[in-house]
Amino acid sequence: MDWGNRKDILVFLEQKDGKALNGALECLTPARALAQHTGGQVLAVLMGTDNAGAAEKVAPLADGVLAVTGGDYSDGAADAFTWALEQLAAQYEPAAVLAGNTPLGREMTARLCARLGLGSVQDATALTWDGDTPVWTVPLYGGTVLNDVVVDTLPVVATTRSGAFAKPEAGQAGPVTPVELQVPADAVKVKVAQAVKELSEAVNLEEAKVIVTGGRGMGSKEQFALVEELAALLGGVVGATRPAIEDGWVSRAHQVGQSGKIVAPALYIACGVSGATQHVSGMNGSGYVVAINKDEDAPIFDVADVGIVGDVAKVLPLMIQEIRQRKAE
């Protein structure tokens, strides 16, 4: 691929309450791989009303930080963010623009590509190379098919799936450059009038290190309480499959899967989960997977590191008891 004079990689780091999201920080890893081919730098882009705290933590992970600060850049201000990203793309002429595959990241990159006439990659799970040409792997049909795609427009624009890439190791802190971009009134079509914290925001599945998920095999709401007890004991978060939610055992904010949250914890414990494709596509980036199911042919065992064939109603109390004893020692 002929990169021309384009070298640097811009990475939009989405924030929540002044903290960069893990899924966004993971973008810095494929960005580094791209920069090694282009010979450029990885420039992290922060946008917010106050970027000081986030910039300090991000600086050791990138070659530089571009801090776009102002009252127009409150959380969720997609119009302002997109306009500012377009200005940065024009000013820095990057080889690529990356973002996390969140609703905001998808919206911003799609709008940027529409304005600049670019192709884009959404929800990439891997990056390989054909010579100097980046080849992105993206899931299709709920993750049942993995497709390799190449973008032949510059800059290359892509979003990456949370958990698909590891966060980079910290190094020498790059410089933080304040950027003043006054958003014109006609660029903002929608303003955030009020931000209300919903239950789904309190259930932070995407950032969790440990997730204990219950499926239809838990049998009842009373037995689903075992999932909640184990999650609390491990300092983790409760997840659920769609059938468990539809049966009213737990709120929809806990759903993991294609129509729920995409997660990548260090430890994922699937309790009474069959392993339907729609669910597995949302957790296959997990570090270590433990599956408990009485059906030894359940598909969940295909993605598990450890499989326990047994009745979850009998296995979970034993696990909980053993963990309590070990923590007490």
Side-chain angles (χ1 to χ4, degrees):
M1 187 170 189
D2 184 6
W3 298 98
N5 293 323
R6 295 179 178 270
K7 295 183 180 297
D8 295 336
I9 315 298
L10 296 184
V11 183
F12 171 71
L13 298 184
E14 183 178 346
Q15 300 180 69
K16 192 68 175 179
D17 299 327
K19 179 182 178 183
L21 301 182
N22 280 340
L25 293 172
E26 291 164 4
C27 290
L28 294 168
T29 296
R32 179 64 64 195
L34 288 165
Q36 288 174 350
H37 279 257
T38 64
Q41 294 186 316
V42 175
L43 301 177
V45 177
L46 293 172
M47 299 184 191
T49 55
D50 182 1
N51 293 307
E56 182 179 356
K57 294 185 178 300
V58 169
L61 305 177
D63 296 315
V65 179
L66 305 178
V68 183
T69 309
D72 293 321
Y73 300 103
S74 59
D75 287 352
D79 286 343
F81 289 170
T82 303
W83 178 85
L85 189 61
E86 184 181 7
Q87 309 313 305
L88 292 175
Q91 178 180 348
Y92 285 86
E93 296 186 337
V97 178
L98 305 185
N101 190 54
T102 64
L104 178 60
R106 291 193 297 270
E107 177 183 349
M108 288 178 60
T109 53
R111 292 173 67 180
L112 179 68
C113 290
R115 294 179 182 185
L116 302 182
L118 304 173
S120 70
V121 175
Q122 298 290 324
D123 199 23
T125 59
L127 171 62
T128 55
W129 295 89
D130 181 6
D132 268 341
T133 300
V135 180
W136 303 89
T137 300
V138 297
L140 301 176
Y141 307 115
T144 57
V145 174
L146 295 178
N147 190 38
D148 288 340
V149 297
V150 171
V151 178
D152 60 4
T153 53
L154 291 174
V156 171
V157 179
T159 65
T160 61
R161 175 175 289 198
S162 176
F165 300 91
K167 286 193 295 185
E169 296 290 335
Q172 183 176 355
V176 178
T177 304
V179 179
E180 293 186 11
L181 290 174
Q182 189 68 37
V183 184
D186 61 357
V188 179
K189 309 300 181 184
V190 178
K191 291 185 178 181
V192 179
Q194 182 181 13
V196 179
K197 190 168 186 177
E198 298 180 356
L199 176 61
S200 59
E201 297 179 33
V203 182
N204 196 351
L205 285 164
E206 296 99 324
E207 305 284 314
K209 299 297 183 184
V210 176
I211 296 178
V212 183
T213 291
R216 175 176 284 154
M218 292 306 303
S220 68
K221 186 173 183 178
E222 290 70 28
Q223 291 190 163
F224 195 89
L226 291 170
V227 171
E228 298 169 335
E229 185 177 355
L230 180 58
L233 187 60
L234 295 174
V237 177
V238 173
T241 63
R242 191 171 198 169
I245 290 167
E246 290 177 344
D247 286 343
W249 301 345
V250 70
S251 77
R252 191 166 296 277
H254 294 267
Q255 185 173 347
V256 174
Q258 185 179 349
S259 54
K261 300 292 180 63
I262 306 297
V263 301
L267 173 62
Y268 189 88
I269 304 177
C271 309
V273 175
S274 64
T277 299
Q278 291 84 352
H279 177 75
V280 171
S281 66
M283 49 69 65
N284 59 7
S286 302
Y288 198 85
V289 178
V290 177
I292 308 168
N293 198 297
K294 63 183 178 181
D295 179 7
E296 63 181 15
D297 295 321
I300 190 66
F301 290 129
D302 293 337
V303 297
D305 296 286
V306 171
I308 301 174
V309 179
D311 185 346
V312 289
K314 297 178 180 178
V315 174
L316 284 183
L318 294 175
M319 288 182 64
I320 291 169
Q321 180 183 359
E322 180 68 20
I323 294 171
R324 286 192 188 281
Q325 288 178 350
R326 297 205 173 198
K327 293 185 76 172
E329 292 176 355

